[in-house]
Amino acid sequence: MRLVDVVQTWAEVRSTRMRRAKSRTLARCLMASGPDLPVVAAWLSGEMCQGRIGVGFSTLSEVKRSAESAPETPSLGVSEVNESFDVIKAIAGDGAKTRRFEAVLSLFTRATYAERIFLLELISGELRQGAQEGVLLDAVATASELSADAKTGPPCSRDAIRRAFMITGDLPLVTVSALRGGEDALSRFHIELFRPLRPMLASPSETPAEALVLLGNDAFLDRKLDGVRVQIHRDGDQVRVYTRHLHDVTGMVPEVAQAARAFPWEQFVIDGEALAMRKDGSPWPFQVTMRRFGRKVDVGRLRMELPLSTFVFDALLIDGEECIDWPAERRFAALEALDPRFQVPRVRVSDPAEAYAFYDETLEAGHEGIMAKDPAGPYQAGARGRQWLKIKPSHTLDLVVLAAEWGSGRRKGWLSNLHLGARDPESDAFVMLGKTFKGLTDELLTWQTEALQELKVDENDWQVFVRPELVVEIAFNDVQTSPQYPGGVALRFARVKRYRPDKSADQADTIDMVRSLLPKAP
């Protein structure tokens, strides 16, 4: 397959807003890829088969400056480019950086302008095309159906594809298996100990009453702990602990591994939370717990100062039996064999009054909210559906827009990511304390793109700086310290609620007010 065919697919998907159209475009490309299918599947998911190849932003920037004018006629093939990546990654020893630069430059010299953009984003890990994992999985299913219609391969269902992906987390592997082996190949994937699964995710809900209605007036309610999500694997005495990003952090959390060895099963994969607790039983803020997960931490010292408690809320595998297809009530019943000190507090309710009582009790205990879970729901790894709902209070601030960044993918052509500032009453200036693009509808994106360009005072290739006049109401969960921003603070889970044309910039909230929301340090 030619590189240009993949690039054209990427460009078409990037400029398309309709999910079904994206899926069919991707499916056609997958079907046409032939022996290059594993590589094309990886690239379309934003990955390289080799992972990182040792080429950083500085090398790529130098390549962009050094490359001569791009040829107009495409000549590169997918397999040829992939082999070049193999060669580049293998470069080591004295002068490796220079030799990598020369190898990348040689590749870019033969690439058209559009191909260069694609390769730059692919190598840097910044490939964006508006096609998330769900769309790509739909594309695999569509390609499988089209292949079956053309009698070129056996079909497989969307459920089988999604289940294989939740178990493996490897989209190229699932793509190749589905299109070349059908459901028989997908059915061979099973949960493996010490190969972490992508965690199940929750959708937001405004109130306990709303969540209860959405779940048919029968739900389990869990305390939502603001710690670090952990997936614990055990096989006899061997225990490994992984984060929600599937990173192995066993050495950073010896208490979690120790707790897991006390669980009443020899083999398991368990979903839970690691949380630093005060002596009075209340939780430390998330940022305090995160001190245990730094790159250079003295685990022994921090273990004494900030010991971690382990709380379990779901089971994926118990003594060799996969649990992910069990209904939640069966999985939760299995967890009752645990010592109660390791169990997340949980109740089953059908009355809104009971739901609000549990919610209020949870907030009073210092936790961030509750989770509502469908008793009949399976564990859908990596999915964010309506079977888990999160309910937590939010705060709002009126902040000033200082700049915005041009969007990519579906938001290309719109000013999207907003730079937010709080007012400094002493200097009358505005102090940046974060960015957000969440909560913006298409209508709001259209309006703010026009409004911000009218306020433009400067710009570069990817952002527009504006006069600090527009006030926007921002919802967020809490405030944390941050060396990244001048004000020393940042908002967690910030999202746009609405613009406030009724307020002027001098009525925006102050940086002192934001800092006052910081949790107390230990």
Side-chain angles (χ1 to χ4, degrees), residues 5 34 70 76 108 115 118 153 174 188 212 326 378 406 479 490:
D5 297 324
L76 290 169
F108 270 65
E115 290 171 339
F118 177 86
V174 170
R188 299 189 188 105
L212 195 56
W326 295 359
W406 289 106
V479 177

Side-chain angles (χ1 to χ4, degrees), residues 463-510:
Q463 57 189 346
V464 172
F465 300 93
V466 300
R467 296 195 303 274
E469 296 181 10
L470 279 181
V471 177
V472 61
E473 185 177 354
I474 299 294
F476 64 98
N477 286 72
D478 51 48
V479 177
Q480 63 185 26
T481 58
S482 172
Q484 182 177 355
Y485 297 112
V489 292
L491 308 180
R492 286 188 71 207
F493 304 114
R495 61 264 186 204
V496 174
K497 192 170 183 181
R498 58 175 173 159
Y499 275 91
R500 297 296 305 267
D502 56 318
K503 284 196 170 187
S504 59
D506 60 1
Q507 295 175 311
D509 287 312
T510 67

